[in-house]
Amino acid sequence: MDMDKRPPADGGDGCLVGVIRIPVKIVAVLVVLPVRVVWELLAAFGRAAHRHVLGPLYVHVLEPLLRALGWLLATLLKLVFVWPWVGLWRYVLAPVGQGLAWLCRGVYDHLLAPAGRILVTYVLRPLWAALAWLGRGGMRYLLAPLAKGVTWIVWALGMTLFVWPWAALWRWVLAPVGRGIAWLAVAVYRYVLTPVGHGLVRLTAAAFRYLLRPVGLGLAWLAVAVYRYVLAPAGRVLLWAWRVAGRIVGALWRGFQWVGWVLVGWPASRVYRYVLTPVGHAVREVWRTGRAAVREARAAVRQALFGTPPVEPARSRARTLGSTTAADAAPADEISLPRRQG
């Protein structure tokens, strides 16, 4: 809350703060101080144990032991899983493989390669030449005449089975029937459909002129009359009713707002200003007093343990709003901004 809207403090608030401060200090000395002393002792004991016992034990005992165990485990793993396979590869599999490769190269160079060259030169090449000569002679004197005869037979069968029957059917059957159907269609269009179409056009024009046009004009006049004498007045009445209803709703809403402010808003603002605000100030003072008591207790414990003179922290001297005196001094009256200007 703003400082200018805070109500002025009186002597009753100072007495209330003094009464609350004494029990808070007693609780801090009896509860917080022993707990903090025990915690500081435990922390000091832990730091000393880590510095003089656990640290040297890890550095001079555990770390060399772990390193020796790691070296021993690595040596055992190499002895079981690495060195036997390395020796097997280096002294058994590699020499055997090299010997097999040398033997295969010798067999290929001195046996398979000469035999292959002899086979290609004196067997396969003459055989391929003979087969090529036979193929050229058979293609020229046997396969070409046979292919020509088979082609002529297939052409004759195709013409006899698939071309000549369909040509005769089209020439002597389908073409005359098609010409007859076309002549009949032309006659029907000229002597039947054209007169019927002309009659339908005349009938449609007469129906539009003497039936549909008068009916349409009558319906249009009726629609204009309904709009002018029924819908337009009804729309204006509805618009006027809508505006009146809007004004009534606005008036009701403003009335509800006024009632809500009178019943809820104004009482809530009064309760906040004259009840909650002083209670909040009192709680804040109690909290500041408790913090100051805890700081004083810590300073006393530090003096008892280490022998240093108690120094009051800079933040322990809580100051009240609108005053330059400490929290222990008598609080000064707070002056709001309107009173100062007045």
Side-chain angles (χ1 to χ4, degrees), residues 233-251:
R236 289 192 292 269
V237 171
L238 291 176
L239 180 62
W240 176 81
W242 178 264
R243 292 177 179 176
V244 172
R247 294 179 181 179
I248 293 173
V249 170

Coordinates of all heavy atoms in Angstrom, one line a residue, residues 233-251:
P233 N -42.8 -1.7 -42.3 CA -43.3 -1.2 -41.0 C -42.9 -2.2 -39.9 O -42.5 -1.7 -38.8 CB -44.8 -1.2 -41.2 CG -45.0 -1.0 -42.6 CD -44.0 -1.8 -43.3
A234 N -43.0 -3.5 -40.1 CA -42.6 -4.4 -39.1 C -41.1 -4.3 -38.7 O -40.7 -4.4 -37.5 CB -42.9 -5.9 -39.5
G235 N -40.2 -4.0 -39.7 CA -38.8 -3.8 -39.5 C -38.5 -2.6 -38.6 O -37.7 -2.6 -37.7
R236 N -39.3 -1.5 -39.0 CA -39.1 -0.3 -38.2 C -39.5 -0.5 -36.7 O -38.9 0.0 -35.8 CB -39.9 0.9 -38.8 CG -39.2 1.4 -40.2 CD -39.9 2.7 -40.6 NE -41.3 2.5 -41.0 CZ -41.6 2.2 -42.2 NH1 -40.7 2.1 -43.2 NH2 -42.9 2.0 -42.5
V237 N -40.6 -1.2 -36.6 CA -41.1 -1.5 -35.2 C -40.1 -2.3 -34.4 O -39.7 -2.0 -33.2 CB -42.5 -2.2 -35.2 CG1 -42.9 -2.6 -33.8 CG2 -43.5 -1.2 -35.8
L238 N -39.5 -3.3 -35.1 CA -38.5 -4.2 -34.4 C -37.2 -3.4 -34.1 O -36.6 -3.6 -33.0 CB -38.2 -5.4 -35.3 CG -39.3 -6.4 -35.5 CD1 -38.8 -7.5 -36.5 CD2 -39.6 -7.1 -34.1
L239 N -36.8 -2.5 -35.0 CA -35.6 -1.7 -34.7 C -35.9 -0.7 -33.5 O -35.0 -0.6 -32.7 CB -35.3 -0.8 -36.0 CG -34.1 0.1 -35.9 CD1 -32.8 -0.7 -35.6 CD2 -33.9 0.9 -37.2
W240 N -37.0 -0.1 -33.5 CA -37.4 0.8 -32.3 C -37.4 -0.1 -31.1 O -36.9 0.4 -30.0 CB -38.7 1.4 -32.6 CG -39.2 2.2 -31.4 CD1 -38.8 3.5 -31.1 CD2 -40.1 1.8 -30.4 NE1 -39.4 3.9 -29.9 CE2 -40.2 2.9 -29.5 CE3 -40.8 0.6 -30.2 CZ2 -41.0 2.8 -28.4 CZ3 -41.6 0.5 -29.1 CH2 -41.7 1.6 -28.2
A241 N -38.0 -1.3 -31.1 CA -38.0 -2.1 -29.9 C -36.6 -2.6 -29.5 O -36.3 -2.6 -28.3 CB -38.9 -3.4 -30.2
W242 N -35.7 -2.8 -30.5 CA -34.3 -3.2 -30.2 C -33.6 -2.0 -29.5 O -32.9 -2.2 -28.5 CB -33.6 -3.6 -31.5 CG -32.2 -4.0 -31.3 CD1 -31.1 -3.1 -31.4 CD2 -31.7 -5.2 -30.8 NE1 -30.0 -3.8 -31.1 CE2 -30.3 -5.1 -30.8 CE3 -32.3 -6.4 -30.5 CZ2 -29.5 -6.2 -30.4 CZ3 -31.5 -7.5 -30.1 CH2 -30.1 -7.3 -30.1
R243 N -33.8 -0.8 -29.9 CA -33.1 0.3 -29.3 C -33.7 0.5 -27.9 O -32.9 0.8 -27.0 CB -33.3 1.6 -30.2 CG -32.6 1.5 -31.5 CD -32.9 2.7 -32.3 NE -32.2 2.7 -33.6 CZ -32.4 3.6 -34.6 NH1 -33.2 4.6 -34.4 NH2 -31.7 3.5 -35.7
V244 N -35.0 0.5 -27.7 CA -35.6 0.6 -26.4 C -35.0 -0.4 -25.4 O -34.7 -0.2 -24.3 CB -37.1 0.6 -26.5 CG1 -37.7 0.6 -25.1 CG2 -37.6 1.8 -27.3
A245 N -35.0 -1.7 -25.9 CA -34.5 -2.8 -25.1 C -33.0 -2.5 -24.7 O -32.6 -2.8 -23.6 CB -34.6 -4.1 -25.8
G246 N -32.2 -2.0 -25.7 CA -30.8 -1.7 -25.3 C -30.7 -0.6 -24.3 O -29.9 -0.7 -23.3
R247 N -31.5 0.4 -24.3 CA -31.5 1.5 -23.3 C -31.9 0.9 -21.9 O -31.3 1.2 -20.9 CB -32.4 2.6 -23.7 CG -31.9 3.4 -24.9 CD -32.9 4.5 -25.3 NE -32.4 5.2 -26.5 CZ -33.1 6.2 -27.0 NH1 -34.2 6.7 -26.5 NH2 -32.6 6.8 -28.1
I248 N -32.9 0.0 -22.0 CA -33.4 -0.6 -20.7 C -32.3 -1.4 -20.1 O -32.0 -1.4 -18.9 CB -34.7 -1.4 -20.9 CG1 -35.8 -0.4 -21.3 CG2 -35.0 -2.2 -19.7 CD1 -37.1 -1.2 -21.7
V249 N -31.6 -2.2 -20.9 CA -30.5 -3.1 -20.4 C -29.4 -2.3 -19.9 O -28.8 -2.6 -18.9 CB -30.1 -4.1 -21.6 CG1 -28.8 -4.8 -21.2 CG2 -31.2 -5.1 -21.9
G250 N -29.0 -1.2 -20.6 CA -28.0 -0.3 -20.1 C -28.3 0.3 -18.8 O -27.5 0.4 -17.9
A251 N -29.6 0.7 -18.6 CA -30.0 1.3 -17.3 C -29.9 0.2 -16.2 O -29.4 0.5 -15.1 CB -31.4 1.9 -17.4

